Amino acid sequence: MNHIERRDAQLPYISDDSIFEQQKVCRKILQRLNTVDRSDFDAINKIVKELLGKSEGAFINPPFYCDYGFHIEVGKNFFANYNCTIIDVAKVKIGDNCQFAPNVSIYTAGHPIHPESRNTMYEYGIEVTIGDNVWIGGNTVIVPGVHIGSNTVIGAGSVVTKDIPDWVVAAGNPCKVIRKITEEDRKFYYKDREFDEESWKEIQQMTQA
């Protein structure tokens, strides 16, 4: 197997010239994304589509950083705020209607712990998956191999080192489940603050459509 094949099989690999050639393509696209007029939303959308390939309604607020782009799969209506970093050595699969606050980082890449093994230049990538309707709080770090379930909220500043289930609020370093999300949460927009009558009426119309 060559090193691209090894990388894509989630086996130890070395970043050789063939790997760097793939990264060059991505960096040229990122250069355009990260220097585009930030008020030109149409141009941003076009570049994001080029970077990620298949996507529907995806929007990324520059600056954004990744290694390949084609290893990132997003569902409908993906949004990432400023300074998102996705080290997509392995696949990063993100479901529909996911939102990332500023400074979210996803790392699929890693290196051997033992220094002699690490100094051989072998590294690895293990995929990360995120379900539908997930909100990732600002300054969150997600490490290789993690799965985050659907309809879950990850609190700001979390370091997600293990799988997180569906329908929970989780936070901390290391990130742990705090509580389940229940039907009672529907009427609140922030802690104990309920939606006002006007917005609540509109929400009901939108969710019952």
Side-chain angles (χ1 to χ4, degrees):
M1 299 173 72
N2 62 41
H3 285 292
I4 289 177
E5 292 169 337
R6 294 185 61 85
R7 179 200 65 198
D8 292 350
Q10 301 186 68
L11 294 172
Y13 77 99
I14 291 174
S15 289
D16 61 9
D17 289 342
S18 65
I19 300 287
F20 288 133
E21 285 302 313
Q22 289 185 328
Q23 291 186 1
K24 285 180 182 179
V25 174
C26 179
R27 292 188 184 201
K28 288 178 180 178
I29 299 172
L30 290 177
Q31 179 69 16
R32 288 190 279 117
L33 177 62
N34 292 334
T35 57
V36 71
D37 180 347
R38 302 295 169 82
S39 67
D40 192 343
F41 298 133
D42 289 339
I44 293 172
N45 277 324
K46 184 177 180 180
I47 299 170
V48 168
K49 185 81 171 179
E50 180 183 356
L51 179 68
L52 301 182
K54 182 184 177 182
S55 62
E56 185 177 336
F59 189 85
I60 296 174
N61 259 331
F64 173 73
Y65 306 98
C66 65
D67 278 342
Y68 302 98
F70 58 75
H71 280 165
I72 303 170
E73 297 179 8
V74 301
K76 298 177 182 178
N77 306 317
F78 172 68
F79 173 76
N81 219 326
Y82 309 108
N83 289 312
C84 180
T85 298
I86 301 179
I87 306 301
D88 57 329
V89 169
K91 287 283 187 183
V92 175
K93 299 178 181 178
I94 300 168
D96 294 340
N97 306 309
C98 288
Q99 298 175 315
F100 290 6
N103 301 306
V104 168
S105 295
I106 299 175
Y107 306 144
T108 67
H111 305 269
I113 291 176
H114 196 284
E116 290 187 2
S117 298
R118 189 166 63 248
N119 291 342
T120 64
M121 304 304 291
Y122 268 98
E123 55 186 302
Y124 62 86
I126 308 295
E127 72 176 32
V128 168
T129 59
I130 297 173
D132 297 330
N133 311 310
V134 174
W135 175 22
I136 308 293
N139 293 293
T140 291
V141 174
I142 300 169
V143 304
V146 163
H147 171 78
I148 297 174
S150 294
N151 307 304
T152 280
V153 175
I154 304 296
S158 296
V159 179
V160 189
T161 61
K162 295 183 179 180
D163 291 354
I164 303 294
D166 299 347
W167 285 100
V168 299
V169 175
N173 181 7
C175 187
K176 296 180 180 179
V177 173
I178 295 173
R179 66 176 180 86
K180 295 284 289 182
I181 295 172
T182 70
E183 186 61 26
E184 282 298 306
D185 291 301
R186 187 185 295 273
K187 61 184 178 181
F188 296 98
Y189 69 93
Y190 177 71
K191 295 186 178 180
D192 61 349
R193 298 189 183 189
E194 293 190 28
F195 287 101
D196 61 276
E197 185 177 347
E198 181 181 1
S199 62
W200 182 243
K201 183 178 180 180
E202 187 171 8
I203 287 169
Q204 288 181 310
Q205 291 173 343
M206 293 169 66
T207 56
Q208 291 172 5

